[in-house]
Amino acid sequence: MEYEELVFGGDDPGHEPGLGPWVAAHTKLLTICAAVLVVFGLAGAGGWYLYERSWLPQPPPDVALSPSFGFQVDMCGCDGMVAATVEQRQEAEAMLRALPQVTSVEVQSGQERSEQLRRSFERIGDTRRAQSSSLPGDVLHGTLRRAEDFPSVVEKMRSAPMISTVSRSAVNFWAGRAEAEIALCGKDFVSQATSGCQKVKRGEVTGMVTEKEKAAIVARLRDLPGVETIYFQDPGHALKLAKLSDPKSELDGTYPGSFYVKFSDPALARTITSAIGPMPGVLEVWPVLSEE
């Protein structure tokens, strides 16, 4: 086997330095090696960029949205009020089923609602609210034949006994897409009356959640085990969802947006309430209700 001598210089005047001729003879090889190094460098930088970007809050999933045809009739049963009897609930149910504008009716008892809410709070580790969840009134869940039939259903149910409210059912967009919602401090009355949004806990900051507070919340979420995706729902998307059940919905400028968090394993969501709830700028941590 012959070896090619590569000489970088020397004292022999009769010996021509070997680096120049070697480079000239191997220009193509060196060009290919340089190109490979550049590709690997860009791939590494691109991979790091994509990794960092994957942790940034993502917009809500871009999926087709359909109008809501659901509504609910809440029977009286709140604290301090006389609860509707079984006979009164059955009368209201019969009235709904007789309406041509209604295609289906399902009954959910106050006990069933309370149990569903308890399980939801347990899934995000909020044991305090899980233990105190109580929704005593029964609910009639109905489906409209057409969205525009809702006002006439409301009018018909005015004569039903022991009805608390009749309202359109919100679209449960985040069911299956996230386990928890992080509601942020806004300019609304509820935010300003909540201790977590008052300046004493926010370094003298008041009002709408700040960008610095939001960045700190995202950074903390990145440290939680199992966090897969962090979404940010801005006021525009919230209004779009609200209009699916009530086309006349409007926002008054007090809604700051919300984070929604998807975990790789829903069981890991139990850490989120204690980790995020006390942070500055956080109004509440809510469970995303599953489709039960």
Side-chain angles (χ1 to χ4, degrees):
M1 178 182 294
E2 295 182 1
Y3 293 90
E4 184 176 1
E5 182 182 8
L6 184 60
V7 179
F8 290 92
D11 296 329
D12 186 356
H15 197 305
E16 182 182 353
L19 183 58
W22 187 88
V23 170
H26 298 82
T27 301
K28 184 175 181 180
L29 176 62
L30 290 172
T31 302
I32 293 173
C33 290
V36 170
L37 289 174
V38 169
V39 169
F40 276 109
L42 290 175
W48 180 254
Y49 169 78
L50 292 176
Y51 170 76
E52 285 293 302
R53 183 173 176 79
S54 69
W55 278 111
L56 293 176
Q58 303 296 305
D62 186 12
V63 297
L65 300 174
S66 302
S68 169
F69 292 94
F71 69 96
Q72 66 181 52
V73 178
D74 291 85
M75 306 298 297
C76 291
C78 298
D79 294 340
M81 297 178 60
V82 177
T85 64
V86 173
E87 291 75 16
Q88 290 169 329
R89 191 261 295 159
Q90 290 174 337
E91 183 179 347
E93 179 185 352
M95 290 178 64
L96 275 181
R97 294 187 184 280
L99 295 179
Q101 300 93 337
V102 178
T103 61
S104 66
V105 178
E106 293 183 4
V107 180
Q108 185 180 30
S109 70
Q111 182 177 354
E112 290 171 333
R113 295 172 67 203
S114 298
E115 183 62 21
Q116 181 185 20
L117 195 59
R118 182 189 63 78
R119 291 193 299 268
S120 297
F121 281 124
E122 284 182 344
R123 282 194 285 266
I124 63 167
D126 192 337
T127 55
R128 179 182 60 82
R129 285 191 289 185
Q131 294 170 356
S132 61
S133 299
S134 178
L135 297 169
D138 295 346
V139 172
L140 305 175
H141 296 280
T143 304
L144 298 166
R145 192 174 300 279
R146 303 177 306 165
E148 54 267 33
D149 289 333
F150 180 67
S152 61
V153 171
V154 174
E155 185 62 30
K156 293 286 186 180
M157 295 306 295
R158 290 185 186 278
S159 59
M162 300 298 288
I163 297 295
S164 174
T165 58
V166 181
S167 58
R168 294 291 298 270
S169 300
V171 174
N172 195 358
F173 174 83
W174 290 102
R177 297 187 173 101
E179 280 75 45
E181 174 194 1
I182 301 172
L184 303 172
C185 297
K187 294 181 180 179
D188 57 289
F189 172 78
V190 174
S191 290
Q192 300 312 305
T194 302
S195 60
C197 291
Q198 294 173 0
K199 65 180 181 180
V200 67
K201 290 193 175 183
R202 300 175 63 194
E204 300 304 309
V205 174
T206 59
M208 197 82 75
V209 62
T210 66
E211 292 301 317
K212 183 177 180 180
E213 288 172 331
K214 287 195 288 187
I217 293 167
V218 171
R220 183 70 184 91
L221 286 170
R222 290 176 60 165
D223 290 336
L224 296 184
V227 170
E228 187 174 275
T229 310
I230 304 168
Y231 296 102
F232 182 71
Q233 176 174 271
D234 62 16
H237 189 263
L239 180 60
K240 185 188 299 184
L241 295 182
K243 284 183 175 293
L244 293 176
S245 56
D246 182 4
K248 296 180 179 179
S249 294
E250 296 291 343
L251 294 181
D252 58 7
T254 63
Y255 174 68
S258 296
F259 289 118
Y260 285 85
V261 185
K262 175 67 177 174
F263 287 80
S264 57
D265 180 355
L268 296 174
R270 289 178 177 272
T271 62
I272 194 169
T273 296
S274 59
I276 303 299
M279 293 190 70
V282 174
L283 174 63
E284 291 281 1
V285 179
W286 294 103
V288 172
L289 297 179
S290 59
E291 298 286 2
E292 298 185 12

